[in-house]
Amino acid sequence: MARSGPRDAAMIVSMSPGATKEDIAAVVTAVTSRGCEAFVSRGVSRTVIALIGNTEQIAQTDLGAHRGVAQVVRVSSPYKLVSREGHAERSTVWVGGRSAGPVPIGPGRLTLIAGPCAVETPQQTLEAARMARAAGAVLLRGGAFKPRTSPYAFQGLGEAGLKILAEVGAETGMPVVTEVVDAGDVELVAQYADMLQVGTRNAQNFSLLKAVGRAGLPVLLKRGMSGTIEDWLLGAEYVAQQGNLAIVLCERGIRTFESATRNTLDISAVPMAQRLSHLPVLVDPSHSGGRRDLVLPLSRAAVAVGADGVIVDVHPRPAQALCDGAQALLQEDLRELADSLARLAPLMNRVLTVTESTEEPGARVPVGA
Ligand code: PEP
Ligand code: MN
C-alpha cells in the first residue's frame, strides 16, 4: 500500500446527471478557494470531481448543499477517481459510434473483442476481421504501432496500418481498438481509432497515460507485466485525472518464475480490481498464455471469475503471422470460444454483447435490447 499523506486525504464529489457547467464550476471554486485541488472527470452519465489536499477542513455537508451535487464521499485509497469507494456502482464504458457501434463494456454484459495482433496487409486484416465478426466479436483489435521487445522485430505499419484498420472496421461494422506507444502519436491514432490501447510495456509511461487521458476517446489499459494491482489502478488514475473516466482495465498476465506459459494469467486480479475500482475489467487470454490451445480454457476461467469480456488474437494464417502467430486463433477456434461464451454468459448473469450482424441479419439481438 502507498503510505497515506495529506494528498491521500481526498473527497469525491459526484454531480447529478443534470448538473450544469456552472454547478461544476461553483464546486471547483468552493474547494480551490480553500487551498485544495480539484480534478474534474467525465464518466458516461455523470461528472465526478476529486478534491485533493487538506480536505479535512471542508465539511461534507457544505459541499452537499451545492446545486447539482449528488453525493460527497471521503476516499482513503491512493487512487480516487477510479476507486469504487467514491463510485459504488460499477461503470459501463461505451466504445465507437462513428462508423460502427457504440458497443458497451461493463457489468451485466460479456464483450468479445477479436482481431489480428498486428495489421500486416489490408487482405490479412479484412480476413481476420471477418473471422472475428462471423464469430460474434463486436470490437476489432489490431496493432499498427507494435511495442516489440526486440528492435529487429516487425514494428507495425504505423499510419498506413491505422488507415487499414479504420477501413476494415467500418466495412465489417466494428469499432476499432488499437495501441498507441508514444505520447507524440496520440493525436494521429485518435483520428482513426475508437479506443486507445496502452500496452503492458507502457503501463507506467505517465506522459503517455496523460496524453491518452486528454484525447477524448475510451482507453483500454493493460496491466503492467510486473505491475501490482495498485500500480495498475494508479495508472488508470493518471488517465482519469485528465478528465476521462472511460477506461477499461485489461489483465494480460504477469511475469512469474513460470516459463511454460508466456505470462501467468493472474485470475484473482479480475475480481480484486472490480472490488477496488468501478471500471470494467477484461482478460486477454492470448497474451497471457501465449499459446493457441490455452486461449479457450483461460477465456472460460475469465468468464467464471467475473470478467466483463475477453480480447483475443486471430489470424487467417497464423504460421505466416508477423507477430504472435503461436497464440492466434483460427476460425474454428474462435467459433468454439464464442459458443462457449454464449453458454457461460447466462450462468454468470450476463448477456453477450452483440450488434446487428452484417453476416447474419436478424440472427442476433441488437445492443440496447
Ligand atoms: C497487444 O495487445 O498487441 C499487446 C502488445 O499486448 P500487451 O501490451 O499486453 O503485451
Ligand atoms: Mn500481440
Side-chain angles (χ1 to χ4, degrees):
M1 281 293 282
R3 257 181 294 147
S4 65
R7 295 186 66 82
D8 285 331
M11 285 204 281
I12 292 288
V13 179
S14 296
M15 304 300 290
S16 50
T20 63
K21 272 189 192 150
E22 290 73 29
D23 295 340
I24 295 165
V27 174
V28 171
T29 307
V31 296
T32 50
S33 66
R34 284 183 244 182
C36 293
E37 278 182 276
F39 296 93
V40 180
S41 198
R42 285 195 19 211
V44 175
S45 58
R46 60 185 167 162
T47 296
V48 176
I49 309 172
L51 316 183
I52 310 290
N54 192 6
T55 52
E56 270 75 25
Q57 45 152 345
I58 303 176
Q60 250 161 286
T61 44
D62 269 14
L63 284 181
H66 275 76
R67 202 179 52 202
V69 170
Q71 198 191 30
V72 184
V73 188
R74 288 199 188 276
V75 176
S76 57
S77 54
Y79 31 87
K80 313 296 177 190
L81 291 161
V82 306
S83 165
R84 207 155 169 194
E85 267 183 286
H87 196 300
E89 228 178 279
R90 300 198 54 233
S91 297
T92 296
V93 170
W94 291 80
V95 183
R98 277 199 279 204
S99 55
V103 168
I105 305 175
R109 308 194 180 257
L110 198 56
T111 303
L112 175 60
I113 307 176
C117 174
V119 174
E120 299 167 10
T121 65
Q123 183 61 23
Q124 165 260 2
T125 307
L126 185 60
E127 284 178 65
R130 285 194 170 138
M131 287 164 63
R133 195 74 177 98
V138 286
L139 287 172
L140 176 64
R141 62 143 291 145
F145 290 94
K146 296 303 301 176
R148 304 304 298 277
T149 301
S150 165
Y152 300 110
F154 175 58
Q155 304 286 311
L157 298 180
E159 187 171 5
L162 294 174
K163 285 187 178 150
I164 295 171
L165 203 55
E167 275 167 29
V168 168
E171 183 168 341
T172 52
M174 289 183 283
V176 299
V177 50
T178 194
E179 182 162 352
V180 53
V181 297
D182 191 301
D185 293 334
V186 169
E187 272 182 40
L188 172 73
V189 178
Q191 284 171 32
Y192 298 96
D194 296 287
M195 184 180 217
L196 301 175
Q197 177 174 327
V198 175
T200 196
R201 293 162 187 80
N202 274 313
Q204 287 191 307
N205 179 339
F206 303 119
S207 52
L208 178 63
L209 291 170
K210 288 193 230 173
V212 297
R214 289 190 293 266
L217 282 178
V219 175
L220 179 68
L221 178 60
K222 296 270 190 116
R223 177 182 178 183
M225 64 179 90
S226 303
T228 63
I229 294 171
E230 185 171 301
D231 293 337
W232 190 20
L233 298 180
L234 283 167
E237 188 79 8
Y238 268 91
V239 177
Q241 206 204 53
Q242 298 301 314
N244 182 4
L245 265 179
I247 307 163
V248 174
L249 301 167
C250 180
E251 161 62 39
R252 50 77 70 203
I254 52 174
R255 285 240 162 123
T256 66
F257 52 80
E258 183 53 70
S259 58
T261 48
R262 186 175 179 185
N263 293 282
T264 299
L265 176 60
D266 180 7
I267 208 75
S268 52
V270 176
M272 202 61 220
Q274 289 173 338
R275 276 178 185 70
L276 295 169
S277 168
H278 57 87
L279 301 176
V281 183
L282 300 180
V283 164
D284 179 340
S286 306
H287 290 83
S288 306
R291 295 170 53 119
R292 181 171 310 119
D293 60 351
L294 289 184
V295 174
L296 178 61
L298 294 183
S299 299
R300 288 201 209 102
V303 177
V305 84
D308 299 305
V310 292
I311 175 167
V312 297
D313 286 5
V314 300
H315 199 289
R317 289 165 294 280
Q320 289 157 36
L322 296 179
C323 184
D324 289 350
Q327 69 196 32
L329 299 182
L330 290 151
Q331 183 72 76
E332 262 322 291
D333 308 316
L334 189 61
R335 269 192 213 287
E336 200 183 346
L337 170 61
D339 284 351
S340 201
L341 296 185
R343 275 181 283 125
L344 288 171
L347 297 179
M348 296 303 297
N349 285 326
R350 285 174 185 269
V351 178
L352 201 58
T353 304
V354 284
T355 45
E356 274 167 297
S357 170
T358 47
E359 320 252 341
E360 301 164 72
R364 295 172 185 280
V365 187
V367 161

